[in-house]
Amino acid sequence: MTESSASSIQTIAADGATPESAPRTMIRLEAVSKVYPGTEIPAVESLDLEIPEGEILVLVGPSGCGKSTTLRLINRMIEPSGGRIIFDGEDVTSVNPDHLRRRIGYVIQQIGLFPHQTIAQNIATVPKLLGWEKSKIPARVDELMDMVGLDPSLYRDRYPKELSGGQAQRVGVARALGADPAVLLMDEPFGAIDPITRDRLQNEFLRLQDELKKTIVFVTHDIDEAIKMGDRIAILRERSHIAQFDTPERILAFPVDDFVRDFIGEGSTLKGLNFERVRDIDVNSTYPVIHGDVDRAAAAQMLDASDEKWLLVLDSSERPVRWINREHLEQTATPLDQIGMDVQATVEPQATLHDALEEMLVSNAGCACVVDGNGRFEGVVDIDTLTDVLRRLRAAAKKHYDDLAAAERL
């Protein structure tokens, strides 16, 4: 696939819809370039990019590829050497950059809090610059602190030096949201935080985004973070050339070339299981099951009639308790609900298929029991099921790209 056909995916919705039904474009870069003085090689070269409204677009790529430069070009912290920047339908390439920046929140890895101002004063920075009524600002500050999980009564009057790294990063997010901007730019926002806090902040931010539906451009060098955070991902080569632009699911299922494949790394296929849930697949609801009070001969007859190597024993509440096979059935002196091996692997319908795979790896029978919220048996998911899902995901992604390539040839 050519580079142009890979980048043209940005006009296709995540479900494969046509551009007419795709989300509205909030930001569009048209042939944007940046050449720094004293150099001949552009940091960003003729970049065309559409950023859908209400989504998180992650820019990811190797060090020096131009992703952070691209981010700063959007709010004109760096002036473009060429091209146009369209913001909410308006060409902002030549407007006052300060006015543009006040419409866009900005979060960086170093946070950049003002050390001699309190947390409340830091968060109030942009509303004050925009001339908000003084009486409205304290309520907005408290609202934002609650939103990012900081109790205003405890943190409002503290100073940045009194915060942990994770707390300071929350304040940075709150400050960026101060004037309720439509767009948020985030440059490695969680990169300097320990892994546990980072994972927690990512989860909380995604929860926040579910409520706010901001248009977000998020820069990271970590492909796993990109997969977790992005509605769409743009994988960049040098000079911000787009190698692939699509949903995480399709990128994982069908990397368009060796560059993307190498950047994603090993295990990309299995990562795709994070985007499918047990409730969305056909589990094996006809798996042979018995109850502990069933006659042993009847159990043996059921096993003989089945293609499976195991029977699943349910208790009186229909909860899976034991796995038994032919060898166990030959233990004639022991009741059925006491022979065999304990059921260790269970998943509920909302679990991801990656969760199901992890459970299967500890299962005595090589499969996981699907149970409802009360632990009642609903079916079985096995390795063959997951293999079929992965095959389907890859086939669907390949068809999508084949259709795009065919459309370009018309």
Side-chain angles (χ1 to χ4, degrees):
M1 176 174 293
T2 65
E3 187 171 306
S4 62
S5 59
S7 62
S8 69
I9 297 158
Q10 60 195 271
T11 63
I12 306 297
D15 60 359
T18 60
E20 288 75 16
S21 61
R24 186 175 79 91
T25 297
M26 174 60 79
I27 302 170
R28 186 168 71 252
L29 307 185
E30 297 180 351
V32 170
S33 298
K34 178 62 183 178
V35 181
Y36 287 103
T39 65
E40 295 182 358
I41 299 175
V44 175
E45 184 176 47
S46 193
L47 173 63
D48 293 317
L49 183 64
E50 292 189 5
I51 301 166
E53 183 180 29
E55 293 189 359
I56 300 177
L57 167 64
V58 179
L59 305 179
V60 63
S63 297
C65 70
K67 52 188 182 292
S68 291
T69 300
T70 298
L71 193 76
R72 296 183 182 118
L73 286 168
I74 291 173
N75 68 355
R76 291 181 53 208
M77 289 186 69
I78 299 173
E79 291 294 337
S81 304
R84 298 201 310 158
I85 302 169
I86 311 299
F87 182 92
D88 199 15
E90 174 190 0
D91 186 346
V92 296
T93 311
S94 57
V95 303
N96 185 320
D98 288 335
H99 293 167
L100 172 64
R101 290 178 203 129
R102 289 171 188 174
R103 300 165 63 187
I104 300 175
Y106 191 56
V107 185
I108 59 176
Q109 178 176 327
Q110 294 80 12
I111 307 163
L113 300 180
F114 303 122
H116 302 301
Q117 291 187 357
T118 66
I119 301 311
Q121 289 168 335
N122 267 279
I123 296 173
T125 299
V126 177
K128 286 180 179 178
L129 287 173
L130 294 177
W132 282 33
E133 292 181 22
K134 289 185 178 180
S135 60
K136 293 183 178 180
I137 293 177
R140 177 61 175 165
V141 169
D142 286 356
E143 177 189 10
L144 289 165
M145 293 185 73
D146 277 330
M147 193 180 294
V148 299
L150 293 173
D151 185 340
S153 65
L154 295 177
Y155 294 98
R156 187 190 298 113
D157 298 322
R158 293 190 186 183
Y159 288 86
K161 66 181 180 181
E162 301 176 83
L163 303 180
S164 69
Q167 290 168 340
Q169 196 65 59
R170 292 169 193 255
V171 175
V173 172
R175 185 177 65 179
L177 293 170
D180 197 20
V183 172
L184 200 61
L185 307 182
M186 308 184 75
D187 193 356
E188 300 272 8
F190 310 128
I193 302 171
D194 67 89
I196 294 176
T197 303
R198 184 185 194 191
D199 186 62
R200 186 179 303 122
L201 286 177
Q202 288 170 342
N203 293 338
E204 291 184 3
F205 186 80
L206 289 172
R207 176 193 58 78
L208 198 61
Q209 171 65 356
D210 281 342
E211 299 174 11
L212 301 179
K213 298 298 182 185
K214 299 293 183 183
T215 302
I216 298 171
V217 187
F218 188 110
V219 163
T220 181
H221 66 279
D222 183 344
I223 187 62
D224 290 326
E225 183 170 56
I227 291 166
K228 178 176 181 177
M229 300 299 293
D231 295 300
R232 301 172 201 257
I233 298 173
I235 298 181
L236 304 180
R237 307 177 195 271
E238 290 185 353
R239 304 194 295 280
S240 280
H241 289 171
I242 296 175
Q244 189 167 0
F245 184 120
D246 212 328
T247 63
E249 298 96 314
R250 281 206 285 256
I251 289 176
L252 288 172
F254 195 77
V256 295
D257 59 22
D258 288 342
F259 175 85
V260 175
R261 194 173 296 108
D262 290 343
F263 188 78
I264 293 173
E266 298 294 332
S268 62
T269 302
L270 294 181
K271 291 174 185 177
L273 294 175
N274 284 305
F275 300 102
E276 294 277 327
R277 296 195 177 271
V278 173
R279 63 174 176 248
D280 299 324
I281 64 172
D282 292 328
V283 301
N284 183 357
S285 58
T286 61
Y287 197 92
V289 298
I290 59 173
H291 291 84
D293 57 357
V294 168
D295 176 78
R296 189 177 299 269
Q301 186 176 3
M302 178 179 290
L303 184 60
D304 290 340
S306 170
D307 293 331
E308 306 294 343
K309 296 180 180 179
W310 299 83
L311 292 178
L312 181 62
V313 181
L314 306 182
D315 66 12
S316 59
S317 298
E318 303 299 313
R319 295 184 296 241
V321 290
R322 311 286 288 180
W323 292 106
I324 61 176
N325 58 21
R326 168 63 65 181
E327 182 180 343
H328 299 133
L329 287 173
E330 293 173 356
Q331 300 173 15
T332 56
T334 309
L336 288 183
D337 57 1
Q338 296 178 28
I339 63 175
M341 295 179 287
D342 290 335
V343 171
Q344 297 179 343
T346 62
V347 291
E348 294 189 10
Q350 67 271 21
T352 68
L353 295 191
H354 200 280
D355 295 332
L357 175 61
E358 290 184 340
E359 288 294 321
M360 286 180 209
L361 295 177
V362 300
S363 169
N364 295 313
C367 55
C369 295
V370 182
V371 297
D372 66 14
N374 295 313
R376 291 189 293 263
F377 178 72
E378 293 188 346
V380 163
V381 58
D382 58 20
I383 292 296
D384 288 341
T385 305
L386 300 191
T387 301
D388 289 343
V389 169
L390 291 172
R391 190 180 295 115
R392 171 175 56 79
L393 290 174
R394 178 171 174 79
K398 183 177 185 304
K399 181 180 185 303
H400 173 75
Y401 284 92
D402 287 346
D403 290 347
L404 286 174
E408 282 199 342
R409 290 193 294 268
L410 295 178

